[in-house]
Amino acid sequence: MFFSKKMLALLGLASCLSLAPLSAIQASTSKYPQKPISLVIAFPAGTTSDSIGRIFASELSNALGQSVVVENKPGGNATIGAKYVVNAKPDGHTIFLTTNTPISAAPWLLKNVGYDPIKDFTPIGRIGNLPFVLIANNNVQASKVQDLVSMAKKNPGKVTYASGNATGILAGATFAKRAGIDMLHVPYKGSPNALTDLMGGRVDVMFNDLSSSLPYIQSGKIKAMAVASAKPSAIAPELESMEAAGINNFDLSAWMGFFGPANMDPAIVERLNTEINKIIANPEVYKKLSDMGFDAFGSTSQDFGQFVTDQLDVWGGMIKEAGIEPQ
């Protein structure tokens, strides 16, 4: 069987993690888990986060010998689900799979999120990135990014862009700023509703994750203009990058990872991190995630923690630059 360099790296990471001090981990986790685990998803059912979460819930159930039950708690730019996890017992029986929305973006988009995105969570492991794509309804008289820019310049404030999450909000605002155009923002509580209205012609364009957009692109229900990154995507190489489309310094994707409440037992964190990395290194699971348009890779909990701290500053800078005021 052929393995890419990324797959070999993942397999190596899983192997290294498996060599961690097992006696200490086994001693601390011998009674874990004692009951079903709640996997909180801060987005609606049917979203990419939900679909990915259900794959991991099934695999973790097998690995841990206990049911892992997905609980969807959407709303408030994913802060409702985040606050639920913050208030849960840090015993490893409530874990959180989320994107950057409630951790990196919401603290800058909202005046009061009700939690500290660094102190109130325990990072468990990053699992990959969700590439984003600029899509349009089929009635829009533009197929290329520069055609859209020209149309928006001729009709300031009349071209509408939908958003179903924080990445979509920031992508739309940043695109408008970098392209020098004025577009009307139409926010939605989740990407499924925004996609429905996009296909129905009620909004013109939106930035959405490639994974949930791909089936509609392939069926011809919507059209894709570009990937929301400076470089082309290996998942959709036929789409031009923002740089190739003439929009410089535009590189946006959503990261995804597991968290728990603050003050989790380090041994339980290590156990979960090890199992999560093994799942990603499983060729069948990796292929399933890749086919969904998800760029999967593993990490240590320590590296993820530093990444989360760095990303809070990165997203804060981008949101301020885009001129988005906290609500």
Side-chain angles (χ1 to χ4, degrees), residues 7-268:
M7 281 297 300
L8 290 171
L10 286 168
L11 290 168
L13 175 60
S15 298
C16 290
L17 288 169
S18 67
L19 296 175
L22 289 178
S23 58
I25 294 174
Q26 289 169 347
S28 297
T29 62
S30 59
K31 296 181 180 180
Y32 174 79
Q34 297 177 311
K35 58 183 180 181
I37 295 170
S38 171
L39 175 55
V40 176
I41 306 289
F43 300 97
T47 57
T48 300
S49 295
D50 176 71
S51 299
I52 292 172
R54 291 180 189 279
I55 291 173
F56 276 88
S58 175
E59 296 294 329
L60 280 172
S61 294
N62 294 332
L64 298 173
Q66 274 283 6
S67 297
V68 178
V69 181
V70 171
E71 289 192 52
N72 297 96
K73 296 188 179 294
N77 271 324
T79 60
I80 291 175
K83 283 185 277 193
Y84 180 86
V85 173
V86 166
N87 292 321
K89 291 182 179 179
D91 58 5
H93 292 97
T94 299
I95 55 178
F96 189 32
L97 177 60
T98 188
T99 65
N100 46 270
T101 293
I103 306 297
S104 302
W108 303 102
L109 294 172
L110 303 174
K111 291 180 180 178
N112 182 17
V113 292
Y115 53 82
D116 186 303
I118 304 300
K119 295 179 181 178
D120 289 342
F121 295 93
T122 298
I124 296 172
R126 188 178 174 198
I127 65 167
N129 285 334
L130 277 169
F132 266 57
V133 61
L134 174 60
I135 51 180
N137 76 57
N138 289 327
N139 296 323
V140 171
Q141 299 299 306
S143 297
K144 296 287 187 179
V145 171
Q146 284 304 322
D147 295 336
L148 176 65
V149 172
S150 297
M151 185 174 76
K153 286 184 176 179
K154 292 176 183 176
N155 301 279
K158 293 184 179 180
V159 175
T160 55
Y161 76 94
S163 69
N165 48 52
T167 304
I169 294 171
L170 180 58
T174 301
F175 173 73
K177 186 175 182 64
R178 299 277 163 82
I181 57 177
D182 177 20
M183 297 196 299
L184 178 64
H185 180 210
V186 183
Y188 290 81
K189 291 183 178 180
S191 58
N193 291 338
L195 273 170
T196 297
D197 274 8
L198 184 77
M199 286 184 284
R202 286 176 284 278
V203 288
D204 297 318
V205 299
M206 71 179 288
F207 284 90
N208 194 47
D209 66 89
L210 179 60
S211 178
S212 61
S213 304
L214 203 55
Y216 303 108
I217 296 169
Q218 292 172 336
S219 65
K221 292 181 179 179
I222 55 176
K223 53 187 174 183
M225 292 184 169
V227 288
S229 56
K231 303 299 180 185
S233 168
I235 299 173
E238 71 281 4
L239 294 178
E240 66 178 357
S241 66
M242 280 293 169
E243 187 175 285
I247 309 297
N248 298 322
N249 302 316
F250 191 104
D251 196 358
L252 277 176
S253 62
W255 57 259
M256 200 167 190
F258 280 88
F259 295 85
N263 303 314
M264 279 181 63
D265 184 336
I268 293 177

Side-chain angles (χ1 to χ4, degrees), residues 227-306:
V227 288
S229 56
K231 303 299 180 185
S233 168
I235 299 173
E238 71 281 4
L239 294 178
E240 66 178 357
S241 66
M242 280 293 169
E243 187 175 285
I247 309 297
N248 298 322
N249 302 316
F250 191 104
D251 196 358
L252 277 176
S253 62
W255 57 259
M256 200 167 190
F258 280 88
F259 295 85
N263 303 314
M264 279 181 63
D265 184 336
I268 293 177
V269 173
E270 189 69 22
R271 170 80 187 281
L272 287 168
N273 178 272
T274 298
E275 298 301 343
I276 288 165
N277 279 295
K278 285 180 180 178
I279 290 167
I280 297 170
N282 181 320
E284 292 183 3
V285 176
Y286 181 84
K287 183 179 185 305
K288 191 181 297 184
L289 294 170
S290 294
D291 289 346
M292 291 172 59
F294 183 66
D295 181 18
F297 50 82
S299 77
T300 65
S301 57
Q302 294 81 8
D303 287 346
F304 184 41
Q306 184 59 55

